């Protein structure tokens, strides 16, 4: 396993580059950059690539939407070095209107977990009163919480702190967890 995917804590940061798109940087707990991505603006079908360094030469992970602009889209997460599908992430369309929720699937399309926004009340407040309240997501695999994702509020830079320390048995492949966090920053960030 690539050492970039062995950390228990990460920070995913999305900077807005206006018409050029968005830049995503992922840092380890000591603040060292470990993964990079630059997204093109105005794409109808999400296609996100994570690279080993900022030269963007060595692609490690591909996150691709199966369909064009779908409210309940499924995203396949692929290890770019081997071509192996790691798993998939599917947004729970209508349910995510009030409270963001994503299904985590393994490589065989079996549902193995969920990513859920912290509480219906807080989610409602965020959507209808203000987007100034940071989001918090609980990540569960087979009913057991394995990670916590917490948003830092900043109007110009989307930040999501990832904590996988609850995942003592390594139930969630970090590559799939990182892909989920990137989608939360990118997709949910467009909703607010």
């Amino acid at each position: 396993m690539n050492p970039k995917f062995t950390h228990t804590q990460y920070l995913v940061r999305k900077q807005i580059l206006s018409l050029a798109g968005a830049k995503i940087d992922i840092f380890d707990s000591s603040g060292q950059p470990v993964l990079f991505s630059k997204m093109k603006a105005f794409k109808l079908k999400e296609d996100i690539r994570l690279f080993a360094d900022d030269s963007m030469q060595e692609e490690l992970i591909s996150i691709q939407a199966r369909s064009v602009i779908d409210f309940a889209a499924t995203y396949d997460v692929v290890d770019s070095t081997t071509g192996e599908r790691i798993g998939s992430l599917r947004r729970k369309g209508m349910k995510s209107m009030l409270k963001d929720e994503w299904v985590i699937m393994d490589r065989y399309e079996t549902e193995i977990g969920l990513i859920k926004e912290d509480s219906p009340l807080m989610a409602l407040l965020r959507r209808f009163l203000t987007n100034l309240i940071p989001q918090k997501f609980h990540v569960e695999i087979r009913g057991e919480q394995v990670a916590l994702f917490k948003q830092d509020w900043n109007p110009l830079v989307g930040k999501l702190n990832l904590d996988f320390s609850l995942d003592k048995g390594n139930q969630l492949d970090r590559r799939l967890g990182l892909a989920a966090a990137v989608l939360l920053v990118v997709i949910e960030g467009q909703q607010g």
Side-chain angles (χ1 to χ4, degrees), residues 130-141:
T130 179
N131 63 357
L132 302 178
I133 302 169
Q135 288 180 295
K136 188 189 302 182
F137 298 92
H138 299 276
V139 183
E140 299 173 356
I141 298 293

Side-chain angles (χ1 to χ4, degrees), residues 10 17 21 24 36-37 49 83 94 96 153 156-157 160 172:
Y10 295 88
L17 299 174
I24 297 172
F36 302 84
S37 181
R49 310 293 173 132
M94 290 305 287
S96 285
W153 185 81
L156 301 175
V157 179
L160 195 61
L172 177 62

Side-chain angles (χ1 to χ4, degrees), residues 69-87:
I69 307 177
D70 183 358
F71 193 58
T74 298
Y75 298 85
D76 291 315
V77 181
V78 175
D79 181 318
S80 300
T81 58
T82 64
E84 164 196 27
R85 185 167 65 163
I86 301 162

Side-chain angles (χ1 to χ4, degrees), residues 50-51 90 99 107 111 126 135 170 172 176 181 184 187:
L50 298 179
F51 296 90
R90 183 180 70 234
K99 180 180 166 189
R107 69 181 62 146
E111 185 175 321
R126 285 181 192 108
Q135 288 180 295
N170 289 319
L172 177 62
L176 195 53
L184 288 172
I187 306 299

Side-chain angles (χ1 to χ4, degrees), residues 8 104 114-116 136-141 144-150 161-168 171-174 177-178 180-181:
T8 55
I104 303 169
L114 288 173
I115 300 167
K116 300 186 291 191
K136 188 189 302 182
F137 298 92
H138 299 276
V139 183
E140 299 173 356
I141 298 293
E144 183 180 327
Q145 185 170 339
V146 295
L148 184 62
F149 298 172
K150 288 190 219 174
N161 292 292
L162 317 180
D163 183 356
F164 293 100
S165 62
L166 296 170
D167 191 8
K168 304 291 185 209
Q171 296 182 67
L172 177 62
D173 187 313
R174 292 289 185 275
L178 285 163

Side-chain angles (χ1 to χ4, degrees), residues 90 92 103-106 108-114 142:
R90 183 180 70 234
K92 285 196 168 184
V103 173
I104 303 169
M105 296 177 285
D106 66 14
Y108 307 108
E109 304 266 335
T110 303
E111 185 175 321
I112 58 169
L114 288 173
R142 296 175 187 88

Side-chain angles (χ1 to χ4, degrees), residues 27-84:
F27 303 90
D28 65 16
S29 60
S30 63
Q32 295 300 308
V34 290
L35 296 166
F36 302 84
S37 181
K38 190 172 181 182
M39 299 173 41
K40 295 177 182 163
F42 310 116
K43 291 202 73 151
L44 292 177
K45 186 174 172 184
E46 296 293 344
D47 182 359
I48 303 166
R49 310 293 173 132
L50 298 179
F51 296 90
D53 61 38
D54 60 358
S55 73
M56 312 251 180
Q57 298 299 310
E58 183 186 353
E59 183 180 316
L60 299 177
I61 297 175
S62 161
I63 308 164
Q64 296 184 335
R66 289 185 184 170
S67 58
V68 177
I69 307 177
D70 183 358
F71 193 58
T74 298
Y75 298 85
D76 291 315
V77 181
V78 175
D79 181 318
S80 300
T81 58
T82 64
E84 164 196 27

